[in-house]
Amino acid sequence: MPTVFSPCVGAVAKIQACTEESVFSINFSGAAGKLTAPIGGFALELNGNYQFLHTVNDFIYVYAFGDRVGELTVSGFGFVKTCSGAEDAKLCNVFEFYQKNRIKEKGDLSVQIGDCADANFWAFLTGMRLELQDPQTLVGQWSLRFNIVPKK
C-alpha cells in the first residue's frame, strides 16, 4: 500500500480541496489587519433577558426585557515556528490581530458568519487564549472571545 503522508513530526502540507474561494468564513469588517491563522470552529451563545415571577396562587408572570449581550468564540490552530510558505498559520498572527482589534484599541467590529445575512453582529474583541498543545511539534491552539450585540 503506498504511503501518501510521511509520518514525520512537525510536517504540514496544505492541500487545496475545493474550487470555491472558501468553504466557510468569518468576516471581520473594520478590523485592523486580517486574521490569517486557520479557523477550526466557532461557538455562538445568545440569550434573552427574562424574569419569571411566581405568585401565591400558582400564577407565573413572565417579563421580557429584550436580548442580552452574547458571546462568540472563534478558535483554530497555529504553529509557534513555521517553514517558508506557512507564515499565515503562525500563532503570533493571532496575537497581533488581538492587539490591534481588542476593545481598548479598536472599539467595535462588524462580524459576519459565513454568507448568512442574519448572522451579522456588532462585536467587541474582549479576550484571547493561546495554548501550546505539543512542545515537540510546536502546534498550538488559539481562541478569540467576542462580546456581541445582534443587529436589528
Side-chain angles (χ1 to χ4, degrees):
M1 183 169 170
T3 302
V4 178
F5 298 106
S6 62
C8 61
V9 175
V12 175
K14 182 177 179 181
I15 300 171
Q16 188 66 29
C18 196
T19 57
E20 297 290 325
E21 186 175 313
S22 66
V23 176
F24 175 78
S25 65
I26 297 178
N27 299 314
F28 303 100
S29 298
K34 190 173 183 178
L35 179 62
T36 59
I39 295 175
F42 74 94
L44 176 62
E45 186 173 337
L46 299 174
N47 290 300
N49 193 8
Y50 311 107
Q51 179 182 7
F52 294 92
L53 177 65
H54 300 269
T55 65
V56 177
N57 294 331
D58 291 331
F59 287 120
I60 299 174
Y61 295 95
V62 177
Y63 298 98
F65 301 107
D67 292 321
R68 298 185 75 138
V69 172
E71 188 171 289
L72 171 67
T73 303
V74 179
S75 59
F77 63 93
F79 305 95
V80 175
K81 187 176 179 182
T82 61
C83 300
S84 62
E87 288 81 13
D88 288 350
K90 291 171 81 171
L91 286 176
C92 61
N93 294 352
V94 177
F95 182 75
E96 182 180 330
F97 183 86
Y98 173 75
Q99 290 292 335
K100 289 181 179 178
N101 294 290
R102 61 190 170 175
I103 190 171
K104 174 185 163 224
E105 298 295 327
K106 187 72 177 161
D108 68 321
L109 302 170
S110 178
V111 175
Q112 183 170 354
I113 300 172
D115 59 357
C116 303
D118 292 338
N120 193 3
F121 307 98
W122 282 304
F124 302 91
L125 182 53
T126 57
M128 177 195 70
R129 179 180 174 101
L130 294 176
E131 183 177 355
L132 181 62
Q133 295 293 319
D134 187 353
Q136 185 177 5
T137 61
L138 299 178
V139 176
Q141 292 182 336
W142 59 266
S143 64
L144 295 172
R145 185 177 57 255
F146 298 87
N147 287 98
I148 59 167
V149 179
K151 290 186 178 179
K152 302 272 182 199

